[in-house]
Amino acid sequence: MNDPRYRRVLIKLSGESLLGNEAYGIDPKVTSRLARELGELVARGVQVALVIGGGNIFRGAGLAAAGMDRVTGDHMGMLATVMNALALQDALERAGVFSRVMSAIKINQVCEDYIRRRAIRHLEKGRVVIFAAGTGNPFFTTDSAASLRAVEINADIMLKATKVDGVYSADPVKDPAAVRYRRLTYDEVIERKLNVMDATAIVMCRDQNMPIMVFDITREGGLVGAVEGRDIGTVVERG
Ligand code: UDP
């Protein structure tokens, strides 16, 4: 095993990454595996924060397309992220890893409110901090919340967990000639409309010089490899 390259990381997990083999909701096998891998990082001295999405349960845009008021739909989407955060916290605690859920909307009989200084204190004490409810505002995504929190807590890098091992020149499923980019600049991602995160999130990372690594979380050991800084994904950084 190599030494961790990063001291403090912010991991963005989509809600869909909790689906596993389920069509809806949360697969407990996935949360257990994630808890084990996150515990491994903590045991190696890495400070771990997570932002979790809610797309496995509700997305505001989808609810709006079905006729619901968009802001109400976004409130439901943010509450979905709280449910995912609680499920992950439960799996972490069963794996013997201390954690705290901090929500951007007040729901403090269920979890803590987000307070930046307190979040940093938890990290320093070796607790995994799960940021829930996105930014707390409608019309944003949890990708934007992830870039915001990564900057706020002075993370060394934002690790964007996906189902593919990086950003490709074309869809690798459809085009066998597609190649994985090892490194991209923020402007290349924006100009070529590459599917890394939404534009708000990328611009925030660019303006605050927060590097991003896109990596495959579904592969066993993918998370540890990303934190060791191995060449297993795509890094987006300044040119
Ligand atoms: N959401 C929001 N504001 C935020 C973050 C999320 O309103 O700051 C809502 C929005 O409706 C979004 C849903 O929560 O669709 C779930 O988040 P997201 O779609 O980012 O989840 P993911 O795609 O990562 O699973």
Side-chain angles (χ1 to χ4, degrees):
M1 273 194 199
N2 300 322
D3 282 341
R5 174 150 174 204
Y6 306 107
R7 190 184 50 88
R8 180 178 290 168
V9 297
L10 185 297
I11 304 165
K12 165 65 211 301
L13 266 186
S14 70
E16 278 173 1
S17 63
L18 302 184
L19 276 176
N21 295 323
E22 311 285 332
Y24 177 84
I26 300 163
D27 181 347
K29 287 196 289 299
V30 174
T31 48
S32 298
R33 181 178 70 82
L34 285 171
R36 224 182 28 249
E37 293 199 13
L38 292 167
E40 216 177 296
L41 298 184
V42 174
R44 292 172 70 184
V46 180
Q47 296 182 14
V48 181
L50 287 128
V51 166
I52 191 143
N56 55 324
I57 303 173
F58 286 125
R59 278 206 182 92
L63 294 171
M68 186 180 271
D69 171 66
R70 172 66 192 259
V71 175
T72 303
D74 281 341
H75 287 158
M76 290 172 70
M78 286 189 269
L79 290 174
T81 72
V82 178
M83 289 196 260
N84 285 334
L86 293 177
L88 192 58
Q89 177 175 48
D90 176 78
L92 282 165
E93 306 240 302
R94 274 185 286 122
V97 183
F98 296 109
S99 69
R100 293 287 188 276
V101 175
M102 304 190 103
S103 171
I105 49 181
K106 277 194 192 299
I107 178 169
N108 52 25
Q109 282 173 309
V110 173
C111 58
E112 295 184 12
D113 294 336
Y114 170 62
I115 297 170
R116 174 180 175 259
R117 284 175 190 281
R118 184 174 287 173
I120 290 172
R121 192 79 191 108
H122 287 323
L123 292 170
E124 287 168 350
K125 288 187 172 172
R127 298 172 184 144
V128 172
V129 177
I130 308 169
F131 295 121
T135 63
N137 299 295
F139 303 106
F140 286 92
T141 64
T142 50
D143 281 353
S144 295
S147 49
L148 177 63
R149 297 290 182 248
V151 172
E152 283 186 277
I153 64 165
N154 303 317
D156 298 321
I157 192 164
M158 187 210 298
L159 303 173
K160 162 82 178 169
T162 68
K163 286 186 267 182
V164 279
D165 63 343
V167 184
Y168 279 75
S169 55
D171 184 345
V173 180
K174 293 181 193 147
D175 184 352
V179 288
R180 170 169 65 92
Y181 297 113
R182 297 175 66 195
R183 201 185 148 273
L184 287 163
T185 66
Y186 303 107
D187 287 330
E188 283 169 338
V189 170
I190 295 165
E191 279 155 24
R192 298 189 209 160
K193 297 192 169 60
L194 296 171
N195 187 17
V196 176
M197 296 192 303
D198 58 71
T200 312
I202 294 283
V203 169
M204 173 88 186
C205 288
R206 181 191 66 185
D207 293 353
Q208 303 304 324
N209 197 20
M210 172 59 59
I212 307 162
M213 185 196 285
V214 180
F215 74 103
D216 184 359
I217 188 98
T218 63
R219 189 180 292 178
E220 190 81 39
L223 184 55
V224 172
V227 173
E228 286 176 351
R230 281 196 244 139
D231 178 24
I232 56 165
T234 300
V235 174
V236 184
E237 58 192 355
R238 230 175 227 177

